[in-house]
Amino acid sequence: QVHLMESGGGLAQPGGSLTLSCTASGNTNRIYNRNWYRQTPGNQRELVARLGGAGSTQYADSVKGRFTISRDYAKNMILLKMDDLKPEDTAVYFCNYVQIVDIGRKTEYWGQGTQVTVSS
């Protein structure tokens, strides 16, 4: 089992910055990838940023050049630095880990989410 806890959400002005953190605890071996998703009311969760096992990164087109996903090995956490925030970035942001359970089998873990609101 992996337990994920997000922090760092809040209110920011357009053009401002926030950094989200996700601390992992439990059995964090064999993590396939580490991700940030976001969700707005009435919509499905969308992938914002992905950190692959080999350190590769992937971003949604809407956040490329503005958001950066990274990992703090010492604290067993991932970060999402969000710059040049826009009102359309307003959402609940979720941390997600995908773990390899067995050959051909993976499982996912989710945090509880943290609200980010971008407004003047």
Side-chain angles (χ1 to χ4, degrees):
Q1 285 281 343
V2 176
H3 181 68
L4 301 174
M5 178 71 72
E6 301 100 336
S7 61
L11 176 65
Q13 291 191 338
S17 299
L18 282 174
T19 298
L20 306 182
S21 303
C22 172
T23 301
S25 59
N27 180 10
T28 56
N29 294 320
R30 306 180 76 183
I31 299 300
Y32 184 68
N33 55 45
R34 298 165 172 82
N35 310 292
W36 285 99
Y37 283 77
R38 67 186 180 189
Q39 187 173 26
T40 53
N43 294 306
Q44 290 187 335
R45 291 181 189 182
E46 64 165 345
L47 178 66
V48 175
R50 169 164 291 159
L51 183 61
S56 61
T57 57
Q58 177 184 339
Y59 296 94
D61 287 343
S62 59
V63 307
K64 279 181 183 175
R66 301 188 298 120
F67 290 12
T68 304
I69 188 171
S70 63
R71 183 179 173 189
D72 186 325
Y73 288 81
K75 297 180 180 178
N76 203 13
M77 68 166 54
I78 60 171
L79 305 166
L80 184 68
K81 188 172 188 304
M82 305 184 293
D83 294 318
D84 190 23
L85 283 162
K86 304 179 180 188
E88 51 263 41
D89 294 320
T90 296
V92 178
Y93 284 71
F94 296 89
C95 178
N96 165 271
Y97 276 30
V98 178
Q99 186 177 50
I100 297 171
V101 177
D102 203 343
I103 296 174
R105 284 207 304 140
K106 300 183 184 71
T107 191
E108 290 188 274
Y109 298 95
W110 294 90
Q112 82 289 350
T114 185
Q115 176 71 46
V116 171
T117 302
V118 183
S119 175
S120 55

